[in-house]
Amino acid sequence: MYLLINIIGVLVFLGIAFLFSKDHKHVNWRSIIIVLVLNLVIAYLLTNFSLGRDLVKAIAGGFQWLVNISYTGIAFAFPDWVHVKQMNFFTSALMPILMIVPLFDILTYFGIMPFCIKWIGRGMAYVTGQPKFESFYAVEMMFLGNTEAMAVSSLQLKNISSKRVLTIAMMSMSCITAAMVGAYAQMVPGQYVLTAIPLNILNAIIITNLLNPVQVTPSEDVIYQIGGSSTADQQVAEETVADHPEKPHKEPFFSFLGDSILGAGKLILIIVANVIAFVALATLISKLLELINPWLSLEHILGTIMFPFAWLMGLDVNHAFQFAQFMGTKLVTNEFVVMGQIAPHINNHHLFNPHYQAQLTVFLTSFANFSTVGMIVGCLKGIVSRDKNDFVSKNIVYLFLSGILVSLMSAGIVGLFVW
């Protein structure tokens, strides 16, 4: 019976996304069905075989290596920020942007990044039926994190439409960074953390396709390169791998690199300001609610709202209520708060049976919460035009809804194979 409820739950989550769709007529059902089948296959392989998890772990290790190198630069200037037992959020998640963004901008300057986007995106697009950039971004965001992935994709974001920028923002709610994988695995079962990573990107494709279907013509499905015009009248760039592409005009390399580093620094400040404001405002709302009733808070309200969805995971009522409270806490604060609460007991199967354990771990493995909305809006404010940023800001509810539904889908699908 619980398996049947779990299956119904996955269908309900898809139904909610379709219900709130911005354009029901243009939902790409072929793409959704293909990605959903791929989702089920990957969930089965990662929950039953170690080879797939080893591959994901190796990729995560590569990104972690890159992040660790960035820490050496940070330690040179601020050794007391890095050489500590636990780095703060600013140092661990944002300061690496100062190296990662210029690195990927260099790859873009020499045409390497557009080449990768074109061909990796083309391969993913062939499988998923999505545009090349969105397909590549889904892979990129697995370990690079939302702000870093958007920052290194700034050239594409500046040239695509507002609706496509909204899709990227919605997908970004389900990112994590490679630097966090090891930290997660120390608190909750590592195999389910690694399982959540690819499932989140696939479910991000499904949910954003349902919530915000965007038709992209072949002329729009191009990969932009440095030197192309970005004016309103000429937002057209050469394909990276054309038969005889004209070499675009480029500014001197070190001038370009200096602008990239300066832009990365400004981006960090914008993100920090938005995160602080969003977290503080959410806390203020909770405190005001407590004045009405000590039990009232955003966490408890969201936990109550999430109870039916937790029950649809195929859990008994008691576990579903507890799961819903964890959901509410995670959405208002972050995943580390909940992981810290459950870490001492998560491996006790008397308290967390395998089905519950797997689903809770997968649900927590993403950055979907209020502060991430602030990070994404702040990041885009430093990258795209005011009109595009305003368009995303008007659709904040869709960002939050996307993040919740992706986490529910990933947890629901994993639950089908773990009992």
Side-chain angles (χ1 to χ4, degrees), residues 125-165:
Y126 179 79
V127 175
T128 65
Q130 299 299 301
K132 289 194 287 289
F133 172 57
E134 283 85 335
S135 298
F136 177 82
Y137 187 84
V139 177
E140 185 181 38
M141 76 177 200
M142 273 204 298
F143 301 108
L144 204 51
N146 40 39
T147 52
E148 294 93 334
M150 287 192 292
V152 303
S153 301
S154 60
L155 181 61
Q156 311 303 322
L157 290 170
K158 288 174 182 176
N159 287 281
I160 62 177
S161 68
S162 296
K163 289 184 177 180
R164 293 179 70 187
V165 172

Side-chain angles (χ1 to χ4, degrees), residues 78-91:
F78 305 104
D80 54 326
W81 289 14
V82 176
H83 302 307
V84 294
K85 184 176 180 180
Q86 178 67 52
M87 285 185 282
N88 60 41
F89 166 77
F90 182 79
T91 306

Side-chain angles (χ1 to χ4, degrees), residues 3 6-8 10 40 355 359 411-419:
L3 175 59
N6 198 156
I7 294 171
I8 293 173
V10 171
L40 294 169
H355 181 73
Q359 290 188 317
I413 287 175
V414 164
L416 298 175
F417 302 100
V418 181
W419 293 93

Side-chain angles (χ1 to χ4, degrees), residues 19 75 80 95 123 135 172 199 239 262 280 291 300 333 349 361 405:
L19 179 65
D80 54 326
M95 289 294 280
S135 298
S172 299
L199 294 190
E239 283 274 8
L262 183 61
L291 295 176
H300 287 144
T333 56
H349 284 179
T361 301
L405 288 175

